[in-house]
Amino acid sequence: MKILSIETSCDETAVAILECSGDPRTDTFSFKVLGNSLHSQIGSHEQFGGVVPMLAKREHAKNLIPLFKQAIVSAFPETVIEQTSDKKTNIGVEKLSEIFGREEEFKNNFIAYFTNLTKPDIDAIAVTQGPGLEPALWMGIIFAKALSFVYNIPLIPVNHMEGHILSVLPQKISFPALALLISGGHTELVLMRDFLQYEVIGQTRDDAVGEAFDKVARMLDLPYPGGPQISRLAELQRDELSRKTQTSTPEYILPRPMINSKDFDFSFSGIKTAVLYSLKKDSGSHIPYPESPQIVAKEFEDAVTEVLIAKTFRAIDEYNIKTLIIGGGVISNEYIRKSFSEHAEKYAELKLLLPDPLLRTD
Ligand code: KG4
Ligand code: ZN
């Protein structure tokens, strides 16, 4: 079957067309991304130092139709979808008014565009239903509902976190599997004993990993999103240290919160607070004032990585995990990826699955 899927949970608008068949547990399984169009709003939110929900909402409403068109054209290059004949899509304006509610402009653009289209070769519409930013999610849901209505095909609500987990398809998942989800909004360890069976065995008690990266970056006056910036500085510091033999200054060491706790929960706000105090010269912090932002970036990345590795691999031991999946925006971090790969190599029976780089974002 072919599924048109829509995602608007945060600051990326995405429309993709997937073709899948067979049972993912067997060799009959086939899964292909036929078309994939994505628009990142980072440029619009950057000036505010973070994602502004109402701005995200407006951008989604503006971009969904053009992205739909792009995705359809890349999935079905032979198909003429714009029609001027009497084969026009039968638009039920009354029902659409109900679906779009107060989103008048979005509704009018939808009607203007879809009246001239024939139905593409798709069997269902999928949409992220949450978790995410409420106003942003709502634009994707409205659009998906409207498409499901005009094409008269089923609507499939999808959990955002489940999307990150299954972004490793069509790679084969052996069970029990463990997913570590690390993004700007979430840090979770999810145990999967089979497809569609999820048990959250651990999660952050305060900040998400990506959020901590972004907040520390802000303390260092680095632009949003902070993750890639911190990681760039940390790499510079590692390079520098590999050339130096001795340091005479006291070491800059951050805490590793909950690293030895028996559960699988995380806490990152303590690391962030430690950074904040160390940057205030008169705060009485026992961590020395850092000589450069690079020092903070490297130690922060080290601390976060150590905690993630410790917790994840303890869960792998305890549940006898066969597949480790890592998803979410933070897996773009090269140091974290490399650390997980090196650790996973020590386990003969463990397979590490990461999404294709294009599918790491929302
Ligand atoms: O999954 P995602 O695209 O959006 C959601 O939050 O759902 O993740 C975005 C997060 C941001 O906090 C961003 O700073 C972080 O992923 N990120 C990184 C890197 N690239 C993106 N964090 C650390 N290192 C990176 N290279
Ligand atoms: Zn996400």
Side-chain angles (χ1 to χ4, degrees):
M1 84 186 306
K2 297 195 187 78
I3 304 172
L4 183 130
S5 32
I6 295 159
E7 145 67 36
T8 61
S9 66
C10 189
D11 61 347
E12 276 142 350
T13 321
V15 179
I17 293 153
L18 318 169
E19 183 173 32
C20 44
S21 62
D23 182 335
R25 297 170 198 83
T26 68
D27 292 338
T28 63
F29 182 60
S30 140
F31 182 96
K32 264 196 278 188
V33 179
L34 300 181
N36 186 12
S37 52
L38 179 123
H39 174 259
S40 162
Q41 304 173 1
I42 282 180
S44 310
H45 298 283
E46 204 176 10
Q47 55 183 312
F48 303 105
V51 180
V52 182
M54 292 314 274
L55 177 60
K57 171 188 157 164
R58 274 202 302 280
E59 292 259 311
H60 290 310
K62 189 177 86 191
N63 292 316
L64 276 165
I65 295 173
L67 288 168
F68 168 91
K69 192 171 173 180
Q70 257 180 40
I72 293 282
V73 170
S74 57
F76 311 114
E78 313 287 299
T79 320
V80 179
I81 56 165
E82 305 209 16
Q83 279 284 348
T84 46
S85 71
D86 52 352
K87 277 205 199 145
K88 289 176 177 182
T89 301
N90 187 16
I91 297 267
V93 176
E94 210 168 293
K95 177 74 183 169
L96 286 174
S97 296
E98 192 186 301
I99 293 172
F100 281 87
R102 277 182 291 173
E103 302 302 325
E104 243 344 91
E105 190 184 346
F106 193 11
K107 180 188 81 179
N108 292 338
N109 291 340
F110 184 94
I111 292 173
Y113 183 66
F114 285 92
T115 307
N116 294 323
L117 295 192
T118 49
K119 178 182 167 294
D121 179 21
I122 47 175
D123 307 295
I125 307 284
V127 64
T128 309
Q129 68 164 348
L133 301 172
E134 209 64 32
L137 284 164
W138 194 235
M139 293 303 103
I141 294 170
I142 287 180
F143 188 59
K145 275 187 172 173
L147 284 175
S148 151
F149 165 67
V150 295
Y151 293 152
N152 194 20
I153 52 178
L155 180 64
I156 309 166
V158 177
N159 177 284
H160 179 171
M161 296 297 112
E162 185 175 26
H164 279 303
I165 296 176
L166 297 181
S167 65
V168 298
L169 290 177
Q171 299 175 87
K172 184 137 198 275
I173 302 173
S174 309
F175 298 101
L178 181 73
L180 170 68
L181 301 175
I182 40 181
S183 72
H186 291 85
T187 303
E188 285 180 0
L189 276 171
V190 184
L191 175 66
M192 279 176 81
R193 297 190 197 276
D194 199 351
F195 280 103
L196 305 179
Q197 287 184 23
Y198 306 102
E199 185 190 338
V200 179
I201 58 165
Q203 58 193 311
T204 184
R205 295 191 179 171
D206 37 62
D207 292 349
V209 191
E211 185 183 359
F213 266 96
D214 295 337
K215 285 179 175 167
V216 168
R218 210 176 309 156
M219 290 174 203
L220 299 175
D221 286 326
L222 299 167
Y224 177 85
Q229 304 287 339
I230 296 270
S231 132
R232 180 179 56 83
L233 289 187
E235 236 14 76
L236 287 177
Q237 179 67 5
R238 282 190 196 99
D239 267 7
E240 226 165 79
L241 285 178
S242 69
R243 276 182 266 118
K244 257 193 214 163
T245 44
Q246 251 187 339
T247 59
S248 52
T249 44
E251 270 201 277
Y252 185 87
I253 296 175
L254 294 170
R256 271 75 172 148
M258 297 182 70
I259 196 163
N260 293 317
S261 69
K262 295 277 170 280
D263 51 37
F264 299 109
D265 281 349
F266 302 91
S267 166
F268 295 105
S269 78
I271 313 183
K272 175 197 72 186
T273 310
V275 172
L276 183 69
Y277 283 136
S278 76
L279 292 172
K280 286 187 186 156
K281 277 190 168 144
D282 54 358
S283 67
S285 166
H286 59 278
I287 306 170
Y289 182 77
E291 283 169 60
S292 75
Q294 285 180 208
I295 294 177
V296 181
K298 176 193 169 285
E299 174 58 10
F300 174 77
E301 198 172 69
D302 282 349
V304 165
T305 308
E306 274 175 42
V307 174
L308 289 174
I309 294 259
K311 291 279 163 140
T312 307
F313 280 87
R314 209 149 48 67
I316 286 171
D317 292 335
E318 182 155 331
Y319 292 98
N320 210 1
I321 296 297
K322 300 233 166 45
T323 311
L324 170 62
I325 296 168
I326 314 182
V330 181
I331 200 54
S332 299
N333 184 293
E334 216 175 305
Y335 182 73
I336 296 179
R337 272 207 317 278
K338 200 174 111 226
S339 306
F340 270 95
S341 302
E342 282 170 8
H343 259 77
E345 272 170 23
K346 296 178 198 153
Y347 289 67
E349 302 286 302
L350 181 71
K351 209 165 37 170
L352 171 64
L353 299 186
L354 299 174
D356 180 283
L358 275 176
L359 305 179
R360 278 178 199 154
T361 64
D362 288 337

